[in-house]
Each structure stands twice: as structure tokens, then as C-alpha cells.
Amino acid sequence: VEGTTLAPNGDDQAFVVDAWMTGKFDLDVPKYLVAAASTVEQLGGPLKAKLIVPSAPLTPEDVVGVLKGRGWEAEIVKQADVSALIPTSSDGLMKCVDGRPSDHSAMDGPKALGGVYSIATNRGVTDIEGLKKICEEVKKCGSVPSCHGDEHAHPAPMGCGFFKLWSQSKLEGIPAPQFDSEEGKAAIMEAGGVYECLAGSHEEKVVYINFVEGTTLAPNGDDQAFVVDAWMTGKFDLDVPKYLVAAASTVEQLGGPLKAKLIVPSAPLTPEDVVGVLKGRGWEAEIVEESSVAPLIKTSPQGLMKCVDGRPSDHPAMDGPKA
């Protein structure tokens, strides 16, 4: 499990081999693990091993199952089939999932529950100073922190339904904030964030749960939808099940549509796909393993990015990529 380890415990000793560091330092993995095994054997250590692997991540299929169990309609759609998907930018607001039109133009940031409040609720942050630190983190990660209100609420920042549920302790397992909506707004703006005002009433027809990293959907006042950019949970190291349950609960409590479309990356082109295309053009084509190609060498920073042309060159730096 990359980036993790076990501390020595004198009362319960164990050899700990963090195998993931072989990748970090580009080591020969079989050689390293054979050396580890041999070392334990020669030292008379225990010939008993437990290999720790990452827990299986929550998949879109898992989310569909959970939502259907809550009475929702839910389906998985491919990135290529959602034409409105756009890349995020560093100027875009990390804004609420709310589908109503905004008075702010920077709609190409990730959509999260209540904007920056999404991170606070997931981490159990309830104080103003903690909120300001989250705003600084969001800026460092390439988004503009934000919160919102609307034209109807009094005070206006209570127009964020997610913050309202949070402040009223209506999100299970999530403690309420120690500040009100106006104090939260002031803190976010003081930390360099933005307050936006949303217009009109809720008319969302669907909830998009987007797993395509670095993309989002801009609000469309004529075709409203809740947009939950689920990929940002990884960027901010959030508890994914907790986050998605909070998202579902929010939509349910606000009377939103119990209909979700989960956007997943389109499948990448595989070597098998390439073989098929080439054969369709009249080529012979086969797949071979790396170990069967003896002349394969590592590239180096000094190597030329040179042409694919197979003729000999007058330059010695042939260990660069061929393009």
C-alpha cells in the first residue's frame, strides 16, 4: 500500500518490507523480494508472510448498487457520450453541486457539496480557522474556494441547501459547524475565496456523478442538473463512501430527483484494439511480451526524441523515444 508502513512494536515484533518503495526507486522487484526472503531465512526468522494490498476502491458499479438500494434510478454512462463535459481550469470555482445559474462566470471548477464545505464536513472540521486552512489547500490544489447563497434566503448564504442541512445537524455522522452561514461566507472571502449568488428555483432533473478526473459540467439554467465531481475525493483524500452518502442524502432531503447518471472514463485503446485496426488495413500484427525483445533499452534524458525511421544516424544518443 503505497505511502504507508508499520512502526516497530517491541511487544509484537515483525519484519516489515515496504515493497511499494521498489517502484518509487525503480528497483528490480524480483531481485529485491528474493533478497528480502533470503535475508529472513538466513537470519532464522519466521517463514510466515502477510502481503498487505490496497482495499478495493469503491467502483461506479458499487455506487449504482447503493443508490438503487436507496430507491434511486441509476446508470453508468461513458465520458464520450456526455458532450457537455468540459476540462476544469485553475480559474474555476470549487462550487456547489447546485444546478441553478450563477452570477459568477468561472463555472469550470469542480462541483462539490456546498463548495469548500464539502471538505470540511468530510473531515469533521467545524471551526472557522479550519475552514480557512481548507480554502488555502483548495487554492494550492488549483481551484478557487467558494460558497453560495441565493435570492430567496434570509440571510442569503442560507440559500445553500447543503450548508442548511449541515447547520441543522441533518447529515448523519457529520457534526454541525460552530459558525453560521454569514460567518462562513466571510471566512471564505477573507481566505481569498468567492461568494456566488444563484438565481431562480431548483429544477434539477438528474444527478450527474462524475468520475472523469479533471472534468466537470457547467450549470445550465435551461436544463438543470446536480453535478457531483466524485473524482475530487481522491484529490483531497476524502472518505469516498461518506462523501457519496452525504451527496445522496442531501438530494433526498432537498426533494431532488432520485435519478443518477455516473460518468466514467471511456475505455482506453488497447494493444488488441490496435492489432484489430491494423489487420483491418491489411497488415500482419501480433502482440509480444517485453521479455522476448532483447534489444529493448531504457530511455534517458540525453536521448533524442527522434524519428521512427530505422536507418542509422550520425548521432550517438539513440536512447530517446522514437516518434
Coordinates of all heavy atoms in Angstrom, one line a residue, residues 2-102:
E2 N 1.0 1.9 -1.1 CA 2.0 3.0 -1.3 C 1.8 4.1 -0.3 O 0.7 4.5 0.1 CB 1.8 3.6 -2.7 CG 2.9 4.6 -3.0 CD 2.9 5.0 -4.5 OE1 2.2 4.4 -5.3 OE2 3.8 5.9 -4.8
G3 N 2.9 4.6 0.2 CA 2.9 5.7 1.2 C 2.5 5.3 2.6 O 2.2 6.2 3.4
T4 N 2.5 4.0 2.9 CA 2.2 3.5 4.2 C 3.3 2.6 4.8 O 4.1 2.1 4.0 CB 0.9 2.8 4.3 OG1 1.0 1.6 3.5 CG2 -0.3 3.6 3.6
T5 N 3.3 2.4 6.1 CA 4.3 1.5 6.7 C 3.7 1.0 8.0 O 2.6 1.4 8.4 CB 5.6 2.2 6.8 OG1 6.6 1.2 7.2 CG2 5.6 3.3 7.9
L6 N 4.5 0.2 8.7 CA 4.1 -0.2 10.1 C 5.3 0.1 11.0 O 6.5 -0.1 10.6 CB 3.9 -1.8 10.1 CG 2.7 -2.3 9.4 CD1 2.8 -3.8 9.1 CD2 1.4 -2.0 10.2
A7 N 5.0 0.8 12.1 CA 6.1 1.1 13.1 C 6.5 -0.1 13.9 O 5.6 -0.9 14.2 CB 5.5 2.2 14.0
P8 N 7.7 -0.2 14.2 CA 8.2 -1.3 15.0 C 7.5 -1.3 16.4 O 7.2 -0.3 17.0 CB 9.7 -1.1 15.2 CG 10.1 -0.2 14.1 CD 8.9 0.7 13.8
N9 N 7.2 -2.5 16.9 CA 6.5 -2.7 18.1 C 7.2 -3.8 18.9 O 7.2 -5.0 18.6 CB 5.0 -3.2 17.9 CG 4.2 -3.4 19.2 OD1 4.8 -3.4 20.3 ND2 2.9 -3.5 19.0
G10 N 7.9 -3.3 20.0 CA 8.8 -4.2 20.7 C 8.0 -5.4 21.4 O 8.6 -6.5 21.6
D11 N 6.7 -5.2 21.6 CA 5.9 -6.2 22.3 C 5.3 -7.2 21.2 O 4.7 -8.2 21.6 CB 4.8 -5.6 23.1 CG 5.4 -4.8 24.2 OD1 6.4 -5.2 24.8 OD2 4.8 -3.7 24.5
D12 N 5.4 -6.8 20.0 CA 4.8 -7.7 18.9 C 5.6 -7.5 17.6 O 5.2 -6.9 16.7 CB 3.3 -7.3 18.7 CG 2.6 -8.2 17.7 OD1 3.1 -9.3 17.5 OD2 1.6 -7.8 17.2
Q13 N 6.8 -8.0 17.7 CA 7.8 -7.7 16.6 C 7.4 -8.4 15.3 O 6.8 -9.5 15.3 CB 9.2 -8.2 17.0 CG 9.8 -7.4 18.2 CD 11.3 -7.9 18.4 OE1 12.0 -8.4 17.5 NE2 11.7 -7.7 19.7
A14 N 7.8 -7.7 14.2 CA 7.6 -8.2 12.9 C 8.6 -7.6 11.9 O 9.0 -6.4 12.1 CB 6.2 -7.9 12.4
F15 N 9.0 -8.4 10.9 CA 9.8 -7.8 9.8 C 8.8 -7.0 9.0 O 7.7 -7.5 8.7 CB 10.5 -8.9 9.0 CG 11.6 -9.5 9.7 CD1 11.6 -10.8 10.2 CD2 12.9 -8.9 9.8 CE1 12.6 -11.4 10.8 CE2 14.0 -9.5 10.4 CZ 13.8 -10.8 10.9
V16 N 9.1 -5.9 8.5 CA 8.3 -5.1 7.6 C 9.0 -4.7 6.4 O 10.0 -4.0 6.4 CB 7.8 -3.8 8.3 CG1 6.9 -3.0 7.4 CG2 7.0 -4.1 9.6
V17 N 8.5 -5.2 5.2 CA 9.1 -4.9 3.9 C 8.1 -4.1 3.1 O 7.1 -4.6 2.7 CB 9.4 -6.3 3.2 CG1 10.1 -5.9 1.8 CG2 10.3 -7.2 4.0
D18 N 8.4 -2.8 3.0 CA 7.5 -1.9 2.2 C 7.9 -2.1 0.8 O 8.6 -1.3 0.2 CB 7.7 -0.5 2.7 CG 7.0 -0.3 4.1 OD1 5.9 -0.9 4.3 OD2 7.5 0.5 4.9
A19 N 7.3 -3.1 0.1 CA 7.6 -3.4 -1.2 C 7.2 -2.3 -2.2 O 7.8 -2.2 -3.3 CB 6.8 -4.7 -1.6
W20 N 6.3 -1.4 -1.9 CA 5.9 -0.4 -2.8 C 7.0 0.6 -3.1 O 7.0 1.2 -4.1 CB 4.7 0.4 -2.2 CG 5.0 1.0 -0.8 CD1 4.6 0.5 0.4 CD2 5.6 2.3 -0.5 NE1 5.0 1.3 1.4 CE2 5.6 2.4 0.9 CE3 6.2 3.3 -1.3 CZ2 6.2 3.5 1.5 CZ3 6.8 4.4 -0.7 CH2 6.8 4.5 0.7
M21 N 8.1 0.7 -2.2 CA 9.2 1.6 -2.4 C 10.1 1.1 -3.6 O 10.8 1.9 -4.2 CB 10.0 1.8 -1.2 CG 10.6 0.6 -0.5 SD 12.1 0.0 -1.2 CE 13.3 1.3 -0.8
T22 N 9.9 -0.1 -4.0 CA 10.7 -0.6 -5.2 C 10.3 0.2 -6.5 O 11.1 0.5 -7.3 CB 10.4 -2.1 -5.5 OG1 9.0 -2.3 -5.7 CG2 11.0 -2.9 -4.3
G23 N 9.0 0.6 -6.5 CA 8.5 1.4 -7.7 C 9.0 2.8 -7.6 O 9.4 3.4 -8.6
K24 N 9.0 3.3 -6.3 CA 9.5 4.7 -6.1 C 10.9 4.9 -6.6 O 11.3 6.0 -7.1 CB 9.3 5.1 -4.7 CG 9.5 6.6 -4.4 CD 9.0 6.9 -3.0 CE 9.0 8.4 -2.7 NZ 8.5 8.8 -1.4
F25 N 11.7 3.9 -6.3 CA 13.2 4.0 -6.6 C 13.6 3.2 -7.9 O 14.8 2.9 -8.1 CB 14.0 3.6 -5.4 CG 13.8 4.6 -4.3 CD1 12.9 4.3 -3.2 CD2 14.5 5.8 -4.2 CE1 12.7 5.2 -2.2 CE2 14.4 6.7 -3.2 CZ 13.5 6.4 -2.2
D26 N 12.6 2.7 -8.6 CA 12.8 2.0 -9.9 C 13.8 0.8 -9.6 O 14.8 0.6 -10.4 CB 13.4 2.9 -10.9 CG 13.3 2.3 -12.3 OD1 12.5 1.4 -12.5 OD2 14.1 2.8 -13.2
L27 N 13.5 0.0 -8.6 CA 14.3 -1.2 -8.3 C 13.8 -2.4 -9.1 O 12.7 -2.5 -9.6 CB 14.3 -1.5 -6.8 CG 14.7 -0.3 -5.9 CD1 14.7 -0.8 -4.5 CD2 16.0 0.3 -6.3
D28 N 14.7 -3.4 -9.2 CA 14.4 -4.7 -9.7 C 13.5 -5.5 -8.7 O 14.1 -6.0 -7.7 CB 15.7 -5.5 -10.0 CG 15.4 -6.8 -10.7 OD1 14.4 -7.5 -10.3 OD2 16.2 -7.2 -11.5
V29 N 12.2 -5.6 -8.9 CA 11.3 -6.1 -7.9 C 11.6 -7.6 -7.5 O 11.7 -7.9 -6.3 CB 9.8 -5.9 -8.3 CG1 8.9 -6.5 -7.2 CG2 9.5 -4.5 -8.6
P30 N 11.7 -8.5 -8.5 CA 12.0 -9.9 -8.1 C 13.3 -10.0 -7.3 O 13.4 -10.7 -6.3 CB 12.1 -10.6 -9.5 CG 11.3 -9.8 -10.4 CD 11.5 -8.4 -10.0
K31 N 14.3 -9.3 -7.8 CA 15.6 -9.3 -7.1 C 15.5 -8.8 -5.7 O 16.1 -9.4 -4.7 CB 16.6 -8.5 -7.9 CG 18.1 -8.4 -7.3 CD 19.0 -7.6 -8.2 CE 20.4 -7.6 -7.6 NZ 21.3 -6.7 -8.5
Y32 N 14.8 -7.7 -5.5 CA 14.6 -7.2 -4.1 C 13.9 -8.1 -3.2 O 14.3 -8.3 -2.1 CB 13.8 -5.8 -4.3 CG 13.6 -5.1 -3.0 CD1 14.6 -4.3 -2.5 CD2 12.5 -5.2 -2.2 CE1 14.5 -3.6 -1.3 CE2 12.3 -4.6 -1.0 CZ 13.3 -3.7 -0.6 OH 13.2 -3.1 0.6
L33 N 12.8 -8.7 -3.7 CA 12.0 -9.6 -2.8 C 12.7 -10.9 -2.6 O 12.6 -11.5 -1.5 CB 10.6 -9.8 -3.5 CG 9.7 -8.6 -3.6 CD1 8.4 -8.9 -4.2 CD2 9.5 -8.0 -2.2
V34 N 13.5 -11.4 -3.5 CA 14.3 -12.6 -3.3 C 15.3 -12.3 -2.2 O 15.6 -13.1 -1.3 CB 14.9 -13.1 -4.6 CG1 16.0 -14.1 -4.2 CG2 13.9 -13.7 -5.5
A35 N 15.9 -11.1 -2.3 CA 16.9 -10.7 -1.2 C 16.2 -10.6 0.1 O 16.8 -11.0 1.1 CB 17.5 -9.4 -1.6
A36 N 15.0 -10.1 0.2 CA 14.3 -10.0 1.4 C 14.0 -11.4 2.0 O 14.3 -11.6 3.2 CB 13.0 -9.2 1.2
A37 N 13.5 -12.3 1.2 CA 13.2 -13.6 1.6 C 14.5 -14.3 2.1 O 14.5 -15.0 3.2 CB 12.6 -14.4 0.5
S38 N 15.6 -14.2 1.3 CA 16.8 -14.9 1.7 C 17.4 -14.3 3.0 O 17.9 -15.1 3.8 CB 17.8 -14.6 0.6 OG 19.1 -15.2 0.9
T39 N 17.2 -13.0 3.2 CA 17.7 -12.4 4.5 C 17.0 -13.0 5.7 O 17.6 -13.4 6.7 CB 17.5 -10.9 4.4 OG1 18.3 -10.3 3.3 CG2 18.0 -10.2 5.7
V40 N 15.7 -13.1 5.6 CA 14.9 -13.6 6.7 C 15.3 -15.1 7.0 O 15.4 -15.5 8.1 CB 13.4 -13.5 6.4 CG1 12.6 -14.2 7.5 CG2 13.0 -12.0 6.4
E41 N 15.4 -15.8 5.9 CA 15.7 -17.3 6.0 C 17.1 -17.4 6.7 O 17.3 -18.2 7.7 CB 15.8 -17.9 4.7 CG 14.4 -18.0 4.0 CD 14.4 -18.2 2.5 OE1 15.5 -18.3 1.9 OE2 13.4 -18.2 1.9
Q42 N 18.1 -16.7 6.3 CA 19.5 -16.8 6.8 C 19.6 -16.3 8.2 O 20.5 -16.7 9.0 CB 20.5 -16.1 5.9 CG 20.6 -16.8 4.5 CD 21.7 -16.1 3.7 OE1 22.9 -16.2 4.1 NE2 21.3 -15.5 2.6
L43 N 18.7 -15.4 8.6 CA 18.7 -14.9 10.0 C 17.9 -15.7 10.9 O 17.7 -15.4 12.1 CB 18.2 -13.4 10.0 CG 19.1 -12.4 9.3 CD1 18.4 -11.0 9.4 CD2 20.5 -12.3 9.9
G44 N 17.3 -16.8 10.4 CA 16.5 -17.7 11.2 C 15.1 -17.1 11.6 O 14.5 -17.4 12.6
G45 N 14.7 -16.2 10.7 CA 13.4 -15.5 11.0 C 12.2 -16.4 10.7 O 12.3 -17.5 10.2
P46 N 11.0 -15.9 11.0 CA 9.8 -16.7 10.7 C 9.5 -16.8 9.2 O 9.5 -15.8 8.5 CB 8.7 -15.9 11.4 CG 9.2 -14.5 11.4 CD 10.7 -14.5 11.5
L47 N 9.2 -18.1 8.8 CA 8.9 -18.3 7.4 C 7.4 -18.2 7.2 O 6.7 -19.1 6.8 CB 9.4 -19.6 6.9 CG 10.9 -19.9 7.1 CD1 11.3 -21.2 6.4 CD2 11.7 -18.7 6.6
K48 N 6.9 -17.0 7.6 CA 5.5 -16.7 7.6 C 5.3 -15.3 7.1 O 5.8 -14.4 7.7 CB 4.8 -16.9 8.9 CG 3.3 -16.6 9.0 CD 2.8 -16.9 10.5 CE 1.3 -16.5 10.5 NZ 0.8 -16.7 11.9
A49 N 4.5 -15.1 6.0 CA 4.4 -13.8 5.5 C 2.9 -13.4 5.3 O 2.1 -14.2 5.0 CB 5.1 -13.7 4.1
K50 N 2.6 -12.1 5.5 CA 1.3 -11.5 5.2 C 1.6 -10.3 4.2 O 2.3 -9.4 4.5 CB 0.6 -11.0 6.4 CG 0.2 -12.1 7.4 CD -0.6 -11.5 8.6 CE -1.1 -12.7 9.4 NZ -2.0 -12.2 10.5
L51 N 1.0 -10.5 3.0 CA 1.1 -9.5 2.0 C 0.0 -8.5 2.1 O -1.2 -8.9 1.9 CB 1.2 -10.1 0.6 CG 2.6 -10.8 0.3 CD1 2.7 -12.1 1.0 CD2 2.6 -11.0 -1.2
I52 N 0.2 -7.2 2.4 CA -0.8 -6.2 2.5 C -1.1 -5.6 1.2 O -0.1 -5.0 0.6 CB -0.4 -5.2 3.6 CG1 0.0 -5.8 4.9 CG2 -1.6 -4.2 3.8 CD1 0.6 -4.9 5.9
V53 N -2.3 -5.6 0.7 CA -2.6 -5.0 -0.5 C -3.7 -3.9 -0.3 O -4.4 -4.0 0.7 CB -3.2 -6.0 -1.6 CG1 -2.1 -7.1 -1.9 CG2 -4.4 -6.7 -1.0
P54 N -3.8 -3.0 -1.2 CA -4.8 -1.9 -1.0 C -6.3 -2.5 -1.0 O -6.5 -3.5 -1.7 CB -4.7 -1.0 -2.3 CG -3.3 -1.3 -2.7 CD -3.0 -2.7 -2.4
S55 N -7.1 -1.9 -0.2 CA -8.5 -2.3 -0.2 C -9.1 -2.0 -1.5 O -8.7 -0.9 -2.1 CB -9.3 -1.6 1.0 OG -8.7 -2.0 2.2
A56 N -10.0 -2.8 -2.0 CA -10.6 -2.5 -3.3 C -11.3 -1.1 -3.2 O -12.1 -0.8 -2.3 CB -11.6 -3.6 -3.6
P57 N -11.1 -0.2 -4.2 CA -11.8 1.1 -4.2 C -13.2 0.9 -4.5 O -13.7 -0.1 -5.1 CB -11.0 1.8 -5.3 CG -10.5 0.8 -6.2 CD -10.2 -0.4 -5.4
L58 N -14.0 1.9 -4.1 CA -15.4 1.9 -4.4 C -15.6 2.1 -5.9 O -15.0 3.1 -6.5 CB -16.1 3.1 -3.7 CG -17.6 3.0 -3.6 CD1 -18.1 1.9 -2.7 CD2 -18.2 4.4 -3.1
T59 N -16.3 1.3 -6.6 CA -16.4 1.4 -8.1 C -17.7 2.1 -8.4 O -18.7 2.1 -7.6 CB -16.4 0.0 -8.7 OG1 -17.5 -0.7 -8.3 CG2 -15.1 -0.8 -8.3
P60 N -17.9 2.6 -9.6 CA -19.1 3.1 -10.1 C -20.3 2.1 -10.0 O -21.4 2.4 -9.6 CB -18.9 3.5 -11.5 CG -17.4 3.8 -11.6 CD -16.8 2.8 -10.6
E61 N -19.9 0.8 -10.2 CA -20.9 -0.3 -10.1 C -21.4 -0.4 -8.6 O -22.6 -0.6 -8.4 CB -20.4 -1.6 -10.6 CG -20.1 -1.7 -12.1 CD -18.9 -1.0 -12.6 OE1 -18.1 -0.5 -11.7 OE2 -18.7 -0.8 -13.8
D62 N -20.5 -0.2 -7.7 CA -20.9 -0.2 -6.3 C -21.8 0.9 -6.0 O -22.8 0.7 -5.2 CB -19.6 -0.1 -5.4 CG -18.7 -1.3 -5.5 OD1 -19.1 -2.4 -5.7 OD2 -17.5 -1.1 -5.3
V63 N -21.5 2.1 -6.5 CA -22.4 3.3 -6.2 C -23.7 3.1 -6.8 O -24.8 3.4 -6.2 CB -21.7 4.5 -6.8 CG1 -22.6 5.7 -6.6 CG2 -20.3 4.8 -6.2
V64 N -23.8 2.5 -8.0 CA -25.1 2.2 -8.6 C -25.9 1.3 -7.7 O -27.1 1.5 -7.4 CB -25.0 1.5 -10.0 CG1 -26.3 0.9 -10.5 CG2 -24.5 2.6 -11.0
G65 N -25.3 0.3 -7.2 CA -26.0 -0.6 -6.3 C -26.5 0.0 -5.0 O -27.6 -0.2 -4.6
V66 N -25.7 0.9 -4.4 CA -26.1 1.6 -3.2 C -27.3 2.5 -3.5 O -28.2 2.6 -2.7 CB -24.9 2.4 -2.6 CG1 -25.4 3.4 -1.5 CG2 -23.8 1.5 -2.1
L67 N -27.2 3.3 -4.6 CA -28.3 4.2 -4.9 C -29.6 3.5 -5.2 O -30.6 3.9 -4.7 CB -27.9 5.1 -6.2 CG -26.8 6.1 -5.9 CD1 -26.4 6.8 -7.2 CD2 -27.2 7.1 -4.9
K68 N -29.5 2.4 -5.9 CA -30.7 1.6 -6.2 C -31.3 1.0 -4.9 O -32.5 1.0 -4.7 CB -30.4 0.4 -7.2 CG -30.2 0.9 -8.6 CD -30.0 -0.2 -9.6 CE -30.0 0.3 -11.0 NZ -29.8 -0.8 -12.0
G69 N -30.4 0.7 -3.9 CA -30.9 0.3 -2.6 C -31.6 1.4 -1.9 O -32.3 1.1 -0.9
R70 N -31.3 2.6 -2.2 CA -32.0 3.8 -1.6 C -33.2 4.2 -2.4 O -33.8 5.2 -2.1 CB -31.0 4.9 -1.5 CG -29.8 4.7 -0.6 CD -28.8 5.8 -0.6 NE -29.3 7.0 0.1 CZ -28.9 7.3 1.4 NH1 -28.0 6.6 2.0 NH2 -29.4 8.4 1.9
G71 N -33.5 3.4 -3.4 CA -34.7 3.8 -4.2 C -34.5 4.7 -5.4 O -35.5 5.2 -6.0
W72 N -33.2 4.8 -5.8 CA -32.9 5.7 -6.9 C -32.9 4.9 -8.2 O -32.8 3.7 -8.2 CB -31.5 6.2 -6.8 CG -31.3 7.3 -5.8 CD1 -31.7 7.3 -4.5 CD2 -30.6 8.6 -6.0 NE1 -31.3 8.4 -3.8 CE2 -30.7 9.2 -4.7 CE3 -30.0 9.2 -7.0 CZ2 -30.1 10.5 -4.5 CZ3 -29.5 10.4 -6.9 CH2 -29.5 11.1 -5.6
E73 N -33.0 5.6 -9.3 CA -32.7 5.1 -10.7 C -31.2 5.5 -10.9 O -30.8 6.6 -10.6 CB -33.5 5.7 -11.8 CG -35.0 5.4 -11.8 CD -35.7 6.1 -12.9 OE1 -35.1 6.3 -13.9 OE2 -36.9 6.4 -12.7
A74 N -30.4 4.6 -11.4 CA -29.0 4.9 -11.6 C -28.4 4.1 -12.8 O -28.7 2.9 -12.9 CB -28.2 4.6 -10.3
E75 N -27.6 4.8 -13.6 CA -27.0 4.1 -14.7 C -25.6 4.7 -14.9 O -25.3 5.8 -14.5 CB -27.8 4.2 -16.0 CG -27.9 5.7 -16.5 CD -28.6 5.8 -17.8 OE1 -28.4 5.0 -18.7 OE2 -29.4 6.8 -18.0
I76 N -24.7 3.9 -15.6 CA -23.4 4.3 -15.9 C -23.3 4.7 -17.4 O -23.8 4.0 -18.2 CB -22.4 3.1 -15.6 CG1 -22.3 2.9 -14.1 CG2 -21.0 3.5 -16.2 CD1 -21.5 1.6 -13.8
V77 N -22.7 5.9 -17.6 CA -22.6 6.4 -19.0 C -21.1 6.7 -19.2 O -20.4 7.0 -18.3 CB -23.4 7.6 -19.3 CG1 -24.9 7.3 -19.1 CG2 -23.1 8.8 -18.3
K78 N -20.7 6.6 -20.5 CA -19.3 6.8 -20.9 C -19.0 8.3 -21.1 O -19.9 9.0 -21.5 CB -18.9 6.0 -22.1 CG -19.0 4.5 -22.0 CD -17.9 4.0 -21.2 CE -17.9 2.5 -21.2 NZ -16.8 1.9 -20.3
Q79 N -17.8 8.7 -20.8 CA -17.4 10.1 -21.0 C -17.7 10.6 -22.4 O -18.2 11.7 -22.6 CB -15.9 10.1 -20.7 CG -15.2 11.4 -21.1 CD -13.7 11.3 -20.9 OE1 -13.2 10.2 -20.5 NE2 -12.9 12.3 -21.1
A80 N -17.4 9.7 -23.4 CA -17.6 10.1 -24.8 C -19.1 10.4 -25.1 O -19.4 11.1 -26.1 CB -17.1 9.0 -25.7
D81 N -20.0 9.9 -24.3 CA -21.4 10.1 -24.5 C -22.0 11.4 -23.8 O -23.2 11.6 -23.9 CB -22.2 8.9 -24.1 CG -21.8 7.7 -24.9 OD1 -21.5 7.8 -26.1 OD2 -21.8 6.5 -24.3
V82 N -21.1 12.1 -23.1 CA -21.6 13.3 -22.4 C -20.9 14.5 -23.0 O -19.8 14.9 -22.6 CB -21.3 13.2 -20.9 CG1 -21.9 14.4 -20.1 CG2 -21.9 11.9 -20.3
S83 N -21.5 15.1 -24.0 CA -20.9 16.1 -24.8 C -20.7 17.4 -24.0 O -19.8 18.2 -24.3 CB -21.7 16.5 -26.0 OG -23.0 16.9 -25.6
A84 N -21.4 17.6 -22.9 CA -21.3 18.9 -22.1 C -20.1 18.8 -21.2 O -19.8 19.8 -20.5 CB -22.6 19.1 -21.3
L85 N -19.4 17.7 -21.0 CA -18.3 17.6 -20.1 C -17.1 18.5 -20.6 O -16.8 18.5 -21.8 CB -17.8 16.1 -20.1 CG -17.2 15.6 -18.8 CD1 -18.1 15.7 -17.6 CD2 -16.8 14.1 -19.0
I86 N -16.6 19.3 -19.7 CA -15.5 20.2 -20.0 C -14.3 20.1 -19.1 O -14.5 19.6 -18.0 CB -16.0 21.7 -20.0 CG1 -16.5 22.0 -18.5 CG2 -17.1 22.0 -21.0 CD1 -16.9 23.5 -18.3
P87 N -13.1 20.5 -19.5 CA -12.0 20.4 -18.6 C -12.1 21.5 -17.5 O -12.6 22.6 -17.8 CB -10.8 20.7 -19.5 CG -11.3 20.7 -20.9 CD -12.8 20.9 -20.9
T88 N -11.6 21.1 -16.3 CA -11.6 22.2 -15.3 C -10.3 23.1 -15.5 O -9.4 22.7 -16.2 CB -11.4 21.5 -13.9 OG1 -10.3 20.6 -13.9 CG2 -12.7 20.7 -13.5
S89 N -10.4 24.3 -14.9 CA -9.2 25.2 -15.0 C -8.9 25.7 -13.6 O -9.8 25.7 -12.7 CB -9.5 26.3 -16.0 OG -10.3 27.3 -15.3
S90 N -7.7 26.3 -13.5 CA -7.3 26.9 -12.2 C -8.1 28.1 -11.8 O -8.1 28.6 -10.7 CB -5.8 27.2 -12.2 OG -5.5 28.1 -13.3
D91 N -8.8 28.7 -12.8 CA -9.6 29.9 -12.5 C -11.0 29.5 -12.1 O -11.8 30.4 -11.7 CB -9.7 30.8 -13.8 CG -8.3 31.3 -14.2 OD1 -7.6 31.7 -13.3 OD2 -8.1 31.3 -15.4
G92 N -11.4 28.2 -12.2 CA -12.8 27.8 -11.9 C -13.0 27.7 -10.4 O -12.1 27.4 -9.6
L93 N -14.3 28.0 -10.1 CA -14.6 27.9 -8.7 C -14.8 26.4 -8.3 O -15.4 25.6 -9.0 CB -16.0 28.6 -8.4 CG -16.2 30.1 -8.8 CD1 -17.5 30.5 -8.3 CD2 -15.1 30.9 -8.2
M94 N -14.3 26.1 -7.1 CA -14.8 24.8 -6.5 C -16.2 25.2 -5.9 O -16.2 25.8 -4.8 CB -13.9 24.3 -5.4 CG -14.5 23.1 -4.6 SD -13.4 22.5 -3.3 CE -12.3 21.5 -4.3
K95 N -17.2 24.9 -6.6 CA -18.5 25.4 -6.3 C -19.5 24.3 -5.9 O -19.2 23.1 -6.2 CB -19.1 26.3 -7.4 CG -19.4 25.6 -8.7 CD -20.2 26.5 -9.6 CE -21.7 26.2 -9.6 NZ -22.5 26.9 -8.6
C96 N -20.6 24.7 -5.4 CA -21.7 23.7 -5.0 C -22.2 23.0 -6.2 O -22.2 23.4 -7.3 CB -22.8 24.5 -4.3 SG -24.0 23.4 -3.5
V97 N -22.7 21.8 -5.9 CA -23.3 20.9 -6.9 C -24.7 21.4 -7.4 O -25.2 20.9 -8.4 CB -23.6 19.5 -6.3 CG1 -22.3 18.9 -5.8 CG2 -24.6 19.5 -5.2
D98 N -25.2 22.5 -6.8 CA -26.5 23.1 -7.1 C -26.5 23.4 -8.6 O -25.6 24.0 -9.2 CB -26.6 24.4 -6.3 CG -28.0 25.0 -6.3 OD1 -28.6 25.1 -7.4 OD2 -28.4 25.4 -5.2
G99 N -27.6 23.1 -9.3 CA -27.7 23.3 -10.7 C -28.2 24.6 -11.2 O -28.3 24.8 -12.4
R100 N -28.6 25.5 -10.3 CA -29.1 26.8 -10.7 C -28.0 27.7 -11.3 O -26.9 27.6 -11.0 CB -29.8 27.5 -9.5 CG -31.0 26.8 -9.0 CD -31.6 27.4 -7.7 NE -30.7 27.2 -6.6 CZ -30.9 27.8 -5.4 NH1 -31.9 28.6 -5.2 NH2 -30.0 27.5 -4.4
P101 N -28.4 28.7 -12.2 CA -27.4 29.6 -12.8 C -26.8 30.5 -11.7 O -27.5 30.9 -10.7 CB -28.3 30.4 -13.8 CG -29.7 30.2 -13.4 CD -29.8 28.9 -12.7
S102 N -25.6 30.9 -12.0 CA -24.8 31.7 -11.1 C -24.6 33.1 -11.6 O -24.6 33.4 -12.8 CB -23.5 31.0 -10.8 OG -22.6 31.8 -10.1

